[in-house]
Amino acid sequence: ALRGVSAEALRGVSADARPSFNGPTFRCRDGGAEMPSARVNDDYCDCLDGSDEPGTSACALGAFYCANVGFKPRVLPASRVDDGICDCCDGSDESVAGTCQDACEAQGAAFRAAAAERAAAVERGLAARREYVAKYASAKGGWASEVAEKKTALEEAKASEAALKEQKEAAEVVERAMQDEERKRKEVEEAARAAAEAERRAAEEAALNATRALLERCTAEVSPDPEALAACPPPTEAEPAAEEENSLFGDDDDEDSGDTAAAEAEGGGEAAGEAAGE
């Protein structure tokens, strides 16, 4: 036993705190009162901080240390000391013999088994992680190669797209030029057809006018010379010209043809009269 303090008096004191109880006197931990060592754990609270009663419930601020050999140490509030409930697995918080059984070894063994299982589970998880990391490192090289290939393919596709775009634009330029050329060709052809049609109509009109003039001269002139009358076409030859004139000028030309025929008949009568008079 320590000097001045019996082993029984050191109940509820940790091994680290025991040197403070070594001596004939004890000073409170808060540096306050000092008292004979015999007053430690005498079930009377002498220190305001309750440090003189580590093994009793006398002080409200006191604390009881459970050694719990074979398991984990524990510190209890002083109010739980000798309350009939086993708070420490070694039963040291209850002074009445037979109240508690020392269960620290069994609890420690169960705790260590659970801790070992947890450690094994952690190790299995770490092993799985290492396996995944190794697989990832192996796959990463393949992914890098695949990414490089896809990048190369993408660049080639972009280059091909640019080339196709240039070809398309060039083809559009050629197509627009051909369309312009075709439009101009059609315009030239249309102008040529219009000019030819105008020329044809002008020629037909000139021929018709010449025929009209000839008919008018032949019907208006009265020549005593039979050879002069022979230059005029016979009436049967004038009819096609009149029909052609009618087809070109419509109903008005029909009236003109009728007038011409009447004039020819009248002129013929006058000529016949003059011939009879001679």
Side-chain angles (χ1 to χ4, degrees):
L2 298 176
R3 288 181 301 163
V5 181
S6 64
E8 293 79 6
L10 290 177
R11 178 185 178 219
V13 179
S14 66
D16 295 337
R18 285 175 181 268
S20 64
F21 294 92
N22 184 13
T25 61
F26 174 78
R27 182 178 292 279
C28 299
R29 289 181 181 175
D30 61 3
E34 184 176 359
M35 64 202 73
S37 296
R39 294 168 65 176
V40 174
N41 279 343
D42 63 352
D43 205 20
Y44 183 83
C45 191
D46 298 294
C47 297
L48 294 178
D49 62 359
S51 58
D52 64 313
E53 298 296 321
T56 71
S57 59
C59 298
L61 299 179
F64 184 89
Y65 176 81
C66 303
N68 290 342
V69 178
F71 193 40
K72 296 185 294 184
R74 185 180 182 187
V75 177
L76 302 174
S79 61
R80 296 187 182 183
V81 176
D82 293 330
D83 62 352
I85 300 175
C86 299
D87 297 294
C88 300
C89 68
D90 61 1
S92 60
D93 60 311
E94 301 299 323
S95 61
V96 178
T99 302
C100 300
Q101 300 295 325
D102 189 347
C104 289
E105 287 294 339
Q107 292 184 13
F111 176 81
R112 287 188 291 274
E117 177 59 28
R118 288 195 299 272
V122 170
E123 180 57 30
R124 289 193 297 271
L126 291 175
R129 181 180 181 276
R130 288 191 293 270
E131 182 180 358
Y132 292 149
V133 170
K135 288 182 178 179
Y136 170 76
S138 177
K140 184 178 179 181
W143 296 341
S145 176
E146 184 178 356
V147 169
E149 291 178 359
K150 290 187 179 297
K151 285 184 177 180
T152 302
L154 179 61
E155 294 299 329
E156 292 177 353
K158 288 182 178 179
S160 177
E161 180 184 6
L164 290 175
K165 185 177 180 181
E166 291 180 359
Q167 294 177 5
K168 177 176 176 294
E169 292 176 352
E172 289 177 349
V173 171
V174 173
E175 183 180 6
R176 286 194 295 270
M178 293 177 64
Q179 290 176 350
D180 292 341
E181 184 178 355
E182 179 66 15
R183 178 180 53 79
K184 292 178 180 179
R185 185 186 66 79
K186 289 182 177 180
E187 291 177 353
V188 171
E189 289 181 354
E190 185 64 26
R193 282 196 298 269
E197 181 66 18
E199 184 178 356
R200 184 185 65 79
R201 289 181 176 273
E204 290 178 352
E205 186 176 357
L208 184 59
N209 290 335
T211 302
R212 283 180 174 177
L214 179 59
L215 291 175
E216 289 178 357
R217 285 196 305 271
C218 290
T219 55
E221 294 178 358
V222 178
S223 175
D225 187 357
E227 294 181 356
L229 292 176
C232 295
T236 56
E237 294 180 359
E239 291 176 1
E243 291 176 0
E244 184 177 3
E245 183 180 3
N246 293 337
S247 65
L248 294 175
F249 297 97
D251 296 340
D252 293 339
D253 294 337
D254 293 341
E255 294 178 358
D256 294 339
S257 299
D259 296 338
T260 303
E264 290 176 354
E266 183 179 353
E270 292 178 354
E274 291 178 357
E278 292 176 354

Coordinates of all heavy atoms in Angstrom, one line a residue, residues 100-150:
C100 N -22.0 -7.9 -8.6 CA -21.6 -8.0 -10.0 C -20.5 -9.0 -10.2 O -19.7 -9.3 -9.3 CB -21.0 -6.6 -10.5 SG -22.1 -5.2 -10.3
Q101 N -20.5 -9.6 -11.4 CA -19.5 -10.6 -11.9 C -18.6 -9.9 -12.8 O -19.0 -9.0 -13.6 CB -20.2 -11.8 -12.5 CG -21.2 -12.5 -11.7 CD -20.5 -13.2 -10.5 OE1 -19.3 -13.6 -10.6 NE2 -21.2 -13.2 -9.3
D102 N -17.3 -10.3 -12.8 CA -16.3 -9.7 -13.7 C -16.6 -10.4 -15.1 O -16.3 -11.5 -15.4 CB -14.9 -10.1 -13.2 CG -13.9 -9.3 -14.1 OD1 -14.2 -8.8 -15.1 OD2 -12.7 -9.3 -13.6
A103 N -17.1 -9.6 -16.0 CA -17.4 -10.0 -17.4 C -16.5 -9.4 -18.4 O -16.7 -9.4 -19.6 CB -18.9 -9.7 -17.7
C104 N -15.4 -8.8 -18.0 CA -14.5 -8.0 -18.9 C -13.8 -8.9 -19.9 O -13.7 -8.6 -21.1 CB -13.5 -7.2 -18.1 SG -14.2 -5.8 -17.2
E105 N -13.4 -10.1 -19.4 CA -12.7 -11.0 -20.4 C -13.6 -11.4 -21.5 O -13.3 -11.4 -22.7 CB -12.2 -12.2 -19.6 CG -11.0 -11.9 -18.7 CD -9.7 -11.6 -19.5 OE1 -9.7 -11.9 -20.7 OE2 -8.8 -10.9 -19.0
A106 N -14.9 -11.8 -21.1 CA -15.9 -12.3 -22.2 C -16.2 -11.1 -23.1 O -16.3 -11.3 -24.3 CB -17.1 -12.8 -21.5
Q107 N -16.5 -9.9 -22.5 CA -16.8 -8.8 -23.3 C -15.6 -8.4 -24.2 O -15.8 -8.0 -25.4 CB -17.3 -7.6 -22.5 CG -18.6 -7.8 -21.8 CD -19.1 -6.6 -21.0 OE1 -18.5 -5.5 -21.2 NE2 -20.1 -6.8 -20.2
G108 N -14.4 -8.5 -23.6 CA -13.2 -8.1 -24.4 C -13.0 -9.1 -25.6 O -12.7 -8.7 -26.7
A109 N -13.3 -10.4 -25.3 CA -13.1 -11.4 -26.4 C -14.1 -11.1 -27.5 O -13.8 -11.2 -28.7 CB -13.3 -12.8 -25.8
A110 N -15.4 -10.8 -27.1 CA -16.4 -10.6 -28.1 C -16.1 -9.3 -28.9 O -16.2 -9.2 -30.1 CB -17.8 -10.4 -27.5
F111 N -15.6 -8.3 -28.2 CA -15.2 -7.0 -28.9 C -14.1 -7.3 -29.8 O -14.1 -6.8 -30.9 CB -14.9 -6.0 -27.8 CG -14.4 -4.7 -28.4 CD1 -15.3 -3.8 -28.9 CD2 -13.0 -4.4 -28.5 CE1 -14.8 -2.6 -29.4 CE2 -12.6 -3.3 -29.1 CZ -13.5 -2.3 -29.5
R112 N -13.1 -8.0 -29.4 CA -11.9 -8.3 -30.2 C -12.3 -9.1 -31.4 O -11.8 -8.9 -32.6 CB -10.8 -9.0 -29.4 CG -10.1 -8.0 -28.5 CD -8.9 -8.7 -27.8 NE -9.3 -9.7 -26.9 CZ -9.6 -9.5 -25.6 NH1 -9.6 -8.3 -25.1 NH2 -9.9 -10.6 -24.9
A113 N -13.3 -10.1 -31.2 CA -13.7 -10.9 -32.4 C -14.5 -10.0 -33.4 O -14.3 -10.1 -34.6 CB -14.6 -12.0 -31.9
A114 N -15.3 -9.1 -32.9 CA -16.1 -8.2 -33.8 C -15.1 -7.3 -34.5 O -15.2 -7.0 -35.7 CB -17.1 -7.4 -33.0
A115 N -14.1 -6.8 -33.7 CA -13.1 -5.9 -34.3 C -12.3 -6.7 -35.4 O -12.0 -6.1 -36.5 CB -12.1 -5.4 -33.3
A116 N -12.0 -8.0 -35.1 CA -11.2 -8.7 -36.1 C -12.1 -8.9 -37.4 O -11.6 -8.9 -38.5 CB -10.8 -10.1 -35.5
E117 N -13.4 -9.2 -37.2 CA -14.3 -9.3 -38.3 C -14.4 -8.0 -39.1 O -14.3 -8.1 -40.4 CB -15.7 -9.8 -37.8 CG -16.7 -9.9 -39.0 CD -16.3 -10.9 -40.0 OE1 -15.5 -11.9 -39.7 OE2 -16.7 -10.8 -41.2
R118 N -14.5 -7.0 -38.4 CA -14.5 -5.7 -39.1 C -13.2 -5.4 -39.8 O -13.2 -5.0 -41.0 CB -14.7 -4.5 -38.1 CG -16.1 -4.5 -37.6 CD -16.4 -3.1 -36.9 NE -15.5 -2.9 -35.8 CZ -15.8 -3.3 -34.5 NH1 -16.9 -4.0 -34.2 NH2 -14.9 -3.0 -33.5
A119 N -12.1 -5.8 -39.2 CA -10.8 -5.6 -39.9 C -10.7 -6.5 -41.1 O -10.1 -6.1 -42.1 CB -9.6 -5.9 -38.9
A120 N -11.2 -7.8 -41.0 CA -11.2 -8.7 -42.1 C -12.1 -8.1 -43.2 O -11.7 -8.2 -44.4 CB -11.7 -10.1 -41.7
A121 N -13.2 -7.6 -42.9 CA -14.1 -7.0 -43.9 C -13.4 -5.8 -44.6 O -13.5 -5.6 -45.8 CB -15.4 -6.5 -43.3
V122 N -12.7 -5.0 -43.7 CA -12.0 -3.9 -44.3 C -10.9 -4.3 -45.3 O -10.7 -3.8 -46.3 CB -11.4 -3.0 -43.2 CG1 -10.4 -1.9 -43.8 CG2 -12.5 -2.3 -42.4
E123 N -10.2 -5.4 -44.8 CA -9.1 -6.0 -45.7 C -9.7 -6.5 -47.0 O -9.1 -6.3 -48.0 CB -8.4 -7.1 -44.9 CG -7.2 -7.7 -45.7 CD -6.2 -6.7 -46.2 OE1 -6.0 -5.7 -45.5 OE2 -5.6 -6.9 -47.2
R124 N -10.8 -7.2 -46.9 CA -11.5 -7.7 -48.1 C -11.9 -6.5 -49.0 O -11.7 -6.6 -50.2 CB -12.7 -8.5 -47.8 CG -12.4 -9.8 -47.1 CD -13.6 -10.7 -47.1 NE -14.7 -10.2 -46.3 CZ -14.9 -10.4 -45.0 NH1 -14.0 -11.2 -44.3 NH2 -15.9 -9.8 -44.3
G125 N -12.4 -5.5 -48.4 CA -12.7 -4.3 -49.2 C -11.5 -3.7 -49.8 O -11.5 -3.3 -51.0
L126 N -10.4 -3.6 -49.1 CA -9.2 -3.0 -49.6 C -8.6 -3.9 -50.7 O -8.1 -3.4 -51.7 CB -8.1 -2.9 -48.5 CG -8.4 -1.8 -47.5 CD1 -7.4 -1.8 -46.4 CD2 -8.5 -0.4 -48.1
A127 N -8.7 -5.3 -50.5 CA -8.3 -6.2 -51.6 C -9.1 -6.0 -52.9 O -8.5 -6.0 -54.0 CB -8.3 -7.6 -51.1
A128 N -10.4 -5.9 -52.7 CA -11.3 -5.6 -53.9 C -10.9 -4.3 -54.5 O -10.9 -4.2 -55.8 CB -12.7 -5.6 -53.4
R129 N -10.6 -3.3 -53.7 CA -10.2 -2.0 -54.2 C -8.9 -2.1 -55.0 O -8.8 -1.5 -56.1 CB -10.1 -1.0 -53.1 CG -9.7 0.4 -53.6 CD -9.6 1.4 -52.5 NE -9.3 2.7 -52.9 CZ -8.0 3.1 -53.2 NH1 -7.0 2.3 -53.1 NH2 -7.8 4.3 -53.6
R130 N -8.0 -2.8 -54.5 CA -6.7 -3.0 -55.2 C -6.9 -3.7 -56.5 O -6.3 -3.4 -57.5 CB -5.7 -3.8 -54.3 CG -5.2 -3.0 -53.2 CD -4.0 -3.7 -52.5 NE -4.4 -4.9 -51.8 CZ -4.8 -5.0 -50.6 NH1 -4.8 -3.9 -49.8 NH2 -5.2 -6.1 -50.0
E131 N -7.8 -4.7 -56.5 CA -8.1 -5.5 -57.7 C -8.8 -4.5 -58.7 O -8.4 -4.6 -59.9 CB -9.1 -6.6 -57.4 CG -9.4 -7.5 -58.6 CD -10.3 -8.6 -58.3 OE1 -10.7 -8.8 -57.1 OE2 -10.7 -9.4 -59.2
Y132 N -9.7 -3.7 -58.3 CA -10.4 -2.8 -59.2 C -9.4 -1.8 -59.7 O -9.4 -1.4 -60.9 CB -11.5 -2.0 -58.5 CG -12.7 -2.9 -58.1 CD1 -13.4 -2.6 -57.0 CD2 -13.0 -4.0 -58.9 CE1 -14.5 -3.5 -56.6 CE2 -14.1 -4.8 -58.5 CZ -14.8 -4.6 -57.4 OH -15.9 -5.4 -57.0
V133 N -8.5 -1.3 -58.9 CA -7.5 -0.3 -59.3 C -6.6 -1.0 -60.4 O -6.2 -0.3 -61.4 CB -6.6 0.2 -58.1 CG1 -5.4 1.0 -58.6 CG2 -7.5 1.0 -57.2
A134 N -6.2 -2.2 -60.2 CA -5.3 -2.9 -61.1 C -6.1 -3.1 -62.5 O -5.5 -2.9 -63.5 CB -4.9 -4.3 -60.6
K135 N -7.4 -3.5 -62.4 CA -8.2 -3.6 -63.6 C -8.3 -2.3 -64.3 O -8.2 -2.2 -65.5 CB -9.5 -4.2 -63.3 CG -9.5 -5.7 -62.9 CD -10.9 -6.2 -62.6 CE -10.9 -7.7 -62.2 NZ -12.3 -8.2 -61.9
Y136 N -8.5 -1.3 -63.5 CA -8.7 0.1 -64.1 C -7.4 0.5 -64.8 O -7.4 1.0 -65.9 CB -9.1 1.1 -63.0 CG -9.0 2.5 -63.5 CD1 -10.0 3.0 -64.4 CD2 -8.0 3.3 -63.2 CE1 -10.0 4.3 -64.8 CE2 -7.9 4.6 -63.6 CZ -8.9 5.1 -64.5 OH -8.8 6.4 -64.9
A137 N -6.3 0.2 -64.1 CA -5.0 0.6 -64.7 C -4.8 -0.1 -66.0 O -4.2 0.4 -67.0 CB -3.8 0.4 -63.7
S138 N -5.1 -1.4 -66.0 CA -5.0 -2.2 -67.3 C -5.9 -1.7 -68.4 O -5.6 -1.6 -69.5 CB -5.2 -3.7 -67.0 OG -5.2 -4.4 -68.2
A139 N -7.2 -1.4 -67.9 CA -8.2 -1.0 -68.9 C -7.9 0.5 -69.4 O -8.2 0.8 -70.5 CB -9.6 -1.0 -68.3
K140 N -7.3 1.2 -68.5 CA -7.0 2.6 -68.9 C -6.1 2.7 -70.1 O -6.3 3.6 -70.9 CB -6.4 3.3 -67.7 CG -6.1 4.8 -67.9 CD -5.5 5.5 -66.7 CE -5.3 7.0 -66.9 NZ -4.7 7.6 -65.7
G141 N -5.1 1.8 -70.2 CA -4.3 1.8 -71.4 C -5.1 1.5 -72.6 O -4.9 2.2 -73.7
G142 N -6.0 0.6 -72.5 CA -6.8 0.3 -73.7 C -7.8 1.5 -74.0 O -8.0 1.8 -75.2
W143 N -8.3 2.1 -73.0 CA -9.2 3.3 -73.2 C -8.4 4.4 -73.9 O -8.9 5.1 -74.8 CB -9.7 3.7 -71.9 CG -10.7 2.8 -71.3 CD1 -11.3 1.7 -71.9 CD2 -11.0 2.7 -69.9 NE1 -12.0 1.0 -71.0 CE2 -11.9 1.6 -69.7 CE3 -10.8 3.5 -68.8 CZ2 -12.5 1.3 -68.5 CZ3 -11.3 3.2 -67.6 CH2 -12.2 2.1 -67.4
A144 N -7.1 4.6 -73.4 CA -6.3 5.7 -74.0 C -6.1 5.4 -75.5 O -6.2 6.3 -76.3 CB -5.0 5.8 -73.3
S145 N -5.8 4.1 -75.8 CA -5.6 3.8 -77.2 C -6.9 4.0 -78.0 O -6.9 4.5 -79.2 CB -5.2 2.3 -77.3 OG -5.0 1.9 -78.7
E146 N -8.0 3.5 -77.4 CA -9.3 3.7 -78.1 C -9.7 5.2 -78.3 O -10.2 5.6 -79.4 CB -10.4 3.0 -77.3 CG -11.8 3.0 -78.0 CD -12.8 2.3 -77.2 OE1 -12.5 1.7 -76.1 OE2 -14.0 2.3 -77.6
V147 N -9.4 6.0 -77.3 CA -9.7 7.4 -77.4 C -8.8 8.0 -78.5 O -9.3 8.9 -79.3 CB -9.4 8.1 -76.0 CG1 -9.4 9.6 -76.2 CG2 -10.5 7.7 -75.0
A148 N -7.5 7.6 -78.6 CA -6.7 8.1 -79.6 C -7.2 7.8 -81.0 O -7.2 8.6 -81.9 CB -5.2 7.6 -79.4
E149 N -7.6 6.5 -81.1 CA -8.2 6.1 -82.4 C -9.4 6.9 -82.8 O -9.6 7.3 -84.0 CB -8.5 4.6 -82.4 CG -7.3 3.7 -82.3 CD -7.6 2.2 -82.1 OE1 -8.9 1.9 -82.1 OE2 -6.7 1.4 -82.1
K150 N -10.3 7.1 -81.8 CA -11.5 7.8 -82.1 C -11.2 9.3 -82.5 O -11.8 9.9 -83.3 CB -12.5 7.7 -80.9 CG -13.0 6.3 -80.7 CD -14.1 6.3 -79.6 CE -14.7 4.9 -79.5 NZ -15.4 4.5 -80.7

